[in-house]
């Protein structure tokens, strides 16, 4: 299905700030200030019905403009729009793994908290944290609810590869092995977080980042992020 130039332009042109092409630009500017998408790394993709919006590869993500967006048809994976002289994000196969799981948006951050949490869990296949209020912002699909304050949240960690696209198989395996997860950490690299909608993906990415920072700081203080509540605390 090839679209005319006009039809392609219409897919990235809107006065609605919530249109995916506009939102990707706005959110990347926000994420840049958080240190999530600096130095061209990281990014976000949004799915609107059968259209998946993807940013170009290797560009400053905080300077994106709506007309820079690639558009993929889902599930045919045919490109409907490919801006000239640009390549789609190397994260595309990873974003697609999240869409295959039913996501409406997927965020990839290079947050240093995500990187550090993989380093304090040296040799481990997952990161765990419990008894923390912000866990309640993370959905638990098997229960149809969110995690509870006393639950243990477990996020898989996969090993980094030299090229982003080569992470696809291990990310897909982690999603299969941890059916309740909505995030996958990549050692020495960052994290992928997805949600049913762009807003859920965003708030969940914020909760995860908070929990990663908390876990790093707790570990520095000799506290176990997944440990029980100390009776002397209260
Ligand atoms: C600082 S380069 C980082 C990239 O290799 C990659 O990890 C990344 O997250 C962004 O890939 P990109 O293809 O620019 O969207
Ligand atoms: Zn990356």
């Amino acid at each position: 299905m090839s679209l005319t130039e006009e039809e392609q332009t219409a897919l990235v042109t809107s006065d609605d700030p919530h249109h995916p092409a506009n939102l990707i630009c706005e959110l990347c500017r926000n994420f840049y200030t958080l240190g999530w998408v600096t130095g061209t790394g990281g990014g976000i993709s949004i799915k609107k019905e059968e259209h998946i919006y993807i940013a170009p590869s290797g560009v400053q993500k905080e300077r994106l403009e709506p007309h820079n967006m690639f558009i993929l048809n889902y599930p045919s994976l045919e490109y409907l729009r490919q801006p000239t002289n640009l390549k789609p994000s190397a994260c595309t196969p990873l974003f697609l793994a999240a869409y295959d799981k039913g996501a409406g948006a997927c965020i990839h951050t290079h947050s240093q908290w995500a990187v550090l949490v993989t380093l304090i869990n040296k040799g481990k296949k997952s990161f765990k944290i419990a008894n923390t209020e912000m866990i309640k912002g993370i959905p638990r699909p098997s229960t149809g609810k969110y995690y509870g304050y006393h639950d243990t949240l477990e996020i898989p960690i996969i090993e980094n590869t030299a090229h982003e696209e080569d992470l696809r198989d291990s990310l897909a395996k982690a999603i299969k092995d941890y059916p309740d997860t909505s995030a996958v950490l990549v050692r020495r690299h960052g994290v992928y977080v997805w949600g049913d909608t762009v807003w859920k993906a965003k708030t969940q990415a914020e909760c995860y980042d908070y929990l990663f920072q908390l876990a790093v700081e707790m570990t520095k203080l000799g506290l176990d992020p997944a440990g029980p509540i100390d009776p002397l605390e209260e």
Side-chain angles (χ1 to χ4, degrees), residues 14-61:
S14 171
D15 293 336
D16 179 1
H18 287 182
H19 184 281
N22 295 334
L23 214 42
I24 287 177
C25 302
E26 186 200 325
L27 289 175
C28 278
R29 286 195 293 273
N30 291 350
F31 296 163
Y32 178 79
T33 65
L34 297 172
W36 288 7
V37 299
T38 56
T40 77
I44 174 173
S45 167
I46 300 175
K47 182 169 174 284
K48 184 187 180 198
E49 291 148 13
E50 74 277 25
H51 296 153
I52 292 175
Y53 287 75
I54 291 166
S57 181
V59 303
Q60 297 176 75
K61 300 296 192 318

Side-chain angles (χ1 to χ4, degrees), residues 41-42 91 108 110 164 189 192:
C91 309
H108 171 45
H110 283 190
E164 192 99 19
H189 181 157
Y192 281 84

Side-chain angles (χ1 to χ4, degrees), residues 62-131:
E62 75 284 10
R63 294 176 62 87
L64 287 170
E65 294 184 22
H67 65 86
N68 298 141
M69 298 304 146
F70 286 75
I71 302 176
L72 259 179
N73 185 271
Y74 188 88
S76 77
L77 306 188
E78 183 191 351
Y79 275 101
L80 300 178
R81 185 167 198 277
Q82 300 188 73
T84 41
N85 300 326
L86 290 170
K87 284 196 309 182
S89 170
C91 309
T92 302
L94 294 308
F95 293 145
L96 288 173
Y99 292 127
D100 288 344
K101 176 105 173 134
C106 185
I107 296 169
H108 171 45
T109 93
H110 283 190
S111 163
Q112 292 196 5
W113 300 118
V115 175
L116 283 168
V117 96
T118 68
L119 296 177
I120 61 171
N121 284 280
K122 189 175 162 189
K124 295 192 186 152
K125 298 275 174 231
S126 68
F127 153 67
K128 292 182 188 169
I129 186 162
N131 301 308

Side-chain angles (χ1 to χ4, degrees), residues 145-191:
K145 297 185 187 152
Y146 281 71
Y147 278 86
Y149 172 56
H150 294 296
D151 290 339
T152 298
L153 175 69
E154 184 173 16
I155 301 152
I157 303 174
I158 61 173
E159 302 309 319
N160 200 25
T161 53
H163 302 289
E164 192 99 19
E165 51 272 33
D166 296 336
L167 290 168
R168 157 102 204 190
D169 288 352
S170 51
L171 185 117
K173 184 176 184 307
I175 290 176
K176 195 162 159 275
D177 293 348
Y178 295 79
D180 261 344
T181 200
S182 52
V184 174
L185 284 157
V186 186
R187 196 158 349 251
R188 293 179 176 271
H189 181 157
V191 66

